[in-house]
Amino acid sequence: MSENAAVPAWHPGEAACPVVFAETVGLYTPPAAGSLPSDAAVLFLSPWGFEEMCTRKLWRLLAERAAVQGLASLRFDYPGTGDALDPAAAPDLETWDLAAAEAARTLRRLSGARRLVLIGHGLGATFATRLGMTLGADAAVLMAPVVSGRFYLRELSAWSKMVDEGLGLRPEQRIAGGIAIAGLVLPEKIAESVRGLNVERLEALPFAKTLVVERPGRDKDAALAAHLASLGAEVARLDYAGYDDLVSNPTLARQPLAVIDGVAEWLARFAREEAAAGATEPLPCPALLQGDGFVEEPLRFAENGRLAGTLCTPAGPRRGATVLLFGTAYDRQAGWARGVTETARHLARNGIASLRFDAANVGDSPPAPAAPEQVQYSDTQLADARAALDLLSARGFGPVIAAGRCSGAYLAFRAAVADSRIAGVVPVNVYTFRWDPDMSVDEALRANPRSLGDYRQRLFDPATFRRLFAGDINLGRALSNVGLQILRRLVALAPGLFGRFTRAGRLSLAAHGDFHDLAARKVPVLLIYSEGDVGLERLKLDFGRRGLSHHGNVTIATIADADHNLSPPQAQAAYRALLLDTALKAG
């Protein structure tokens, strides 16, 4: 199947079909092959910020379950978020409302559906109650709804501090003066409108039927269900088991399978209430998003259209090498703090094309057959890298340099070693160049290792002792991290004694071989690290005092005043300048 072939039905293992409207990108999932198309369709209304990152995969799973029941669906990004364009003026809530209205019209036109179901999560559930009548919704699923906007913003502020502390950001590195979380800033006009929202004050019934998915211990969720019932709605209720495990961290998010089952069953009953759908329209192909200095083509590629990605090209002449942007962990292709999308567009404005995409079982790409559930640091992701390179080769986008951060940096490096089509590689804050197959990825991620220098600095910080006595620090995990790093120092000091007789030593020797191979192929390698990043310390341990200086193809750059995620804007700017320079030289 070609990258953007319009399909009359969804098949398991396929990514959703990209569509463009209202200066944003939507992902349309038709009814599944063999199902009886319903006259109802599902419009997803996303939460905002960190919560949206955590629930991106949930939306895909629910869309696929809805498709099996004959329900078409559409999910989309609000203007100024994700892969949508940035409005010319600062967006207000009306901007997002207009995009939702156009999304509903697009969904009805593509699916032929007469009835509309809204599924909202967090702030998106609040939008569903606000827009139900305007959009002509017949029913809604309200998941963890925000009942009071004022309380939500206070809660978001506390949540933001916890995320920043987890990232190791110092107070001066944090975004101040507005509502922000995980490097994302809620526009001031929208924040002001959200502050005034309170769905308990609803006086008119927004939809006839609703399923309220209630968080444990949140009385306001139950109160909203009761209020909607008092207005005359037919209300069903479902416990939100696993909510905290879903929204605590996009890298470690666990999907609430019991809740997905419950929502799917409710949708199935609703789908069977009326006759089949009306006439549908063919999908626009290709879907293009015209931006300021760039053109983006959201697409599907690889066998059976299983991977979702975005090809970003300059509006003017193209120059230099094309950049293949690998995502980090389970972050959607837009990246942490939307950094990958903004990097791609910055490159395009400077003449550089790029491809960003979700690897299998990440974000909007379904899992690959026979692949493990945990795909981070798995060699199975190399098949996704090859598929991306195949696409770029077929489109005539070469030469290619690979770039990524953390686990994306690891994949970029491994892909460069494995595939000679990669002409350069830019790993950022790579933790290791050879993953220990006996090490649990989940356990390693939960350990959140830091450099010995960082531990030393925190040891003399009074705040550390306050957090320790409050029980906010896992002392055993911290001591284990320190012990592992001391062992690696011993290996570096005496490679002859420890190198071949320890697992860490053997992996280090294998990494040496990888760098020798890249040097023999004359592949430029630019290693970028935040100052004090644990990956930089591991680099020194694995390669000793001499480091990689004997390889003329390897350059090491550091970015000052940056965390592992490159959250501060100045850190992102420094990274983009280095990446752009590398792409221009490789062309």
Side-chain angles (χ1 to χ4, degrees):
M1 183 177 67
S2 63
E3 299 98 61
N4 287 294
V7 294
W10 175 79
H11 298 80
E14 287 180 342
C17 307
V19 294
V20 167
F21 57 88
E23 298 190 330
T24 189
V25 178
L27 294 174
Y28 175 70
T29 305
S35 68
L36 176 64
S38 172
D39 79 325
V42 176
L43 178 64
F44 289 92
L45 297 175
S46 297
W48 176 81
F50 190 76
E51 188 176 353
E52 189 275 338
M53 293 169 63
C54 293
T55 55
R56 186 72 178 191
K57 183 176 177 179
L58 173 67
W59 264 196
R60 175 178 61 78
L61 294 174
L62 284 172
E64 292 172 356
R65 294 291 296 273
V68 173
Q69 303 298 336
L71 291 155
S73 67
L74 181 68
R75 51 199 195 268
F76 70 101
D77 292 330
Y78 304 118
T81 72
D83 292 312
L85 294 182
D86 293 312
D92 53 21
L93 201 53
E94 183 181 4
T95 307
W96 287 8
D97 290 349
L98 291 173
E102 187 58 34
R105 285 191 287 270
T106 300
L107 175 58
R108 283 190 165 105
R109 185 177 71 251
L110 293 175
S111 67
R114 290 177 288 272
R115 294 185 299 153
L116 181 67
V117 183
L118 304 177
I119 299 184
H121 198 290
L123 200 56
T126 311
F127 294 162
T129 62
R130 290 179 54 253
L131 299 175
M133 294 182 65
T134 303
L135 300 182
D138 299 272
V141 179
L142 308 178
M143 305 182 69
V146 170
V147 177
S148 165
R150 189 175 299 276
F151 178 80
Y152 166 75
L153 293 180
R154 288 200 300 267
E155 190 178 52
L156 192 65
S157 178
W159 198 0
S160 177
K161 290 179 181 178
M162 292 174 60
V163 171
D164 286 347
E165 287 178 0
L167 294 174
L169 287 170
R170 299 189 302 274
E172 65 271 19
Q173 293 176 314
R174 298 171 185 170
I175 297 174
I179 304 298
I181 186 169
L184 296 165
V185 179
L186 186 64
E188 184 178 351
K189 291 181 180 179
I190 294 178
E192 190 57 36
S193 296
V194 168
R195 187 172 284 109
L197 295 179
N198 191 325
V199 294
E200 284 185 303
R201 298 174 187 163
L202 282 173
E203 296 180 355
L205 185 64
F207 25 69
K209 297 182 179 183
T210 184
L211 171 64
V212 181
V213 187
E214 304 170 11
R215 292 163 290 183
R218 299 291 187 107
D219 295 338
K220 287 288 187 181
D221 292 10
L224 174 60
H227 180 61
L228 291 171
S230 73
L231 293 175
E234 180 183 314
V235 178
R237 298 165 65 177
L238 179 66
D239 289 335
Y240 205 145
Y243 170 79
D244 290 335
D245 288 336
L246 174 68
V247 301
S248 61
N249 186 329
T251 301
L252 301 172
R254 295 180 180 176
Q255 297 305 312
L257 300 181
V259 171
I260 292 172
D261 288 342
V263 173
E265 290 170 4
W266 186 87
L267 288 173
R269 290 193 295 272
F270 186 82
R272 290 192 292 266
E273 290 178 356
E274 300 288 344
T280 62
E281 287 192 9
L283 294 170
C285 178
L288 296 177
L289 198 63
Q290 303 278 347
D292 177 19
F294 62 87
V295 179
E296 290 192 334
E297 181 185 347
L299 44 74
R300 301 179 301 166
F301 64 97
E303 62 278 10
N304 301 318
R306 65 181 182 85
L307 298 176
T310 302
L311 183 64
C312 184
T313 56
R318 184 161 60 88
R319 57 184 182 147
T322 297
V323 179
L324 178 55
L325 294 162
F326 289 101
T328 300
Y330 290 97
D331 294 350
R332 56 173 296 192
Q333 62 174 285
W336 180 268
R338 208 186 176 208
V340 179
T341 292
E342 293 178 352
T343 294
R345 293 173 180 178
H346 173 78
L347 292 173
R349 292 187 185 101
N350 288 277
I352 302 297
S354 67
L355 173 66
R356 62 186 186 271
F357 71 102
D358 289 337
N361 207 21
V362 174
D364 296 310
S365 294
E373 178 65 22
Q374 173 57 272
V375 295
Q376 292 184 71
Y377 297 100
S378 168
D379 286 345
T380 59
Q381 288 196 320
L382 290 175
D384 302 335
R386 286 193 297 271
L389 290 165
D390 289 344
L391 170 67
L392 293 175
S393 178
R395 294 286 190 97
F397 286 91
V400 175
I401 65 171
R405 180 184 59 79
C406 193
S407 62
Y410 175 84
L411 180 56
F413 182 81
R414 300 305 323 154
V417 172
D419 200 313
S420 61
R421 290 176 293 180
I422 294 179
V425 60
V426 184
V428 181
N429 288 334
V430 59
Y431 178 64
T432 184
F433 299 99
R434 283 274 184 162
W435 186 262
D436 182 352
D438 294 329
M439 180 182 292
S440 165
V441 175
D442 290 335
E443 291 180 7
L445 292 172
R446 288 186 173 86
N448 190 25
R450 304 181 187 275
S451 68
L452 286 178
D454 190 35
Y455 280 121
R456 194 161 42 241
Q457 181 180 8
R458 289 170 181 269
L459 181 62
F460 297 100
D461 185 347
T464 300
F465 290 95
R466 289 195 296 270
R467 293 183 63 213
L468 180 63
F469 289 124
D472 295 334
I473 294 178
N474 188 325
L475 183 59
R477 183 177 293 166
L479 291 174
S480 176
N481 289 337
V482 171
L484 285 172
Q485 293 185 55
I486 291 173
L487 174 61
R488 297 190 72 86
R489 290 198 171 194
L490 291 174
V491 172
L493 288 171
L497 176 61
F498 293 102
R500 298 187 183 278
F501 301 103
T502 67
R503 187 168 52 194
R506 289 190 294 272
L507 291 170
S508 179
L509 290 173
H512 278 264
D514 294 332
F515 276 98
H516 281 294
D517 290 345
L518 292 174
R521 285 168 40 202
K522 298 181 180 180
V523 175
V525 180
L526 172 60
L527 300 175
I528 301 176
Y529 291 95
S530 302
E531 276 189 348
D533 190 80
V534 65
L536 183 58
E537 183 162 299
R538 285 198 59 158
L539 179 76
K540 295 175 181 176
L541 294 178
D542 283 339
F543 295 94
R545 293 181 180 178
R546 189 181 179 192
L548 295 165
S549 59
H550 58 295
H551 291 310
N553 64 317
V554 179
T555 306
I556 301 174
T558 57
I559 298 177
D561 204 30
D563 66 316
H564 182 73
N565 287 10
L566 302 183
S567 298
Q570 66 272 17
Q572 283 286 328
Y575 160 60
R576 287 170 190 153
L578 290 166
L579 182 58
L580 174 61
D581 182 64
T582 303
L584 290 173
K585 290 177 179 177

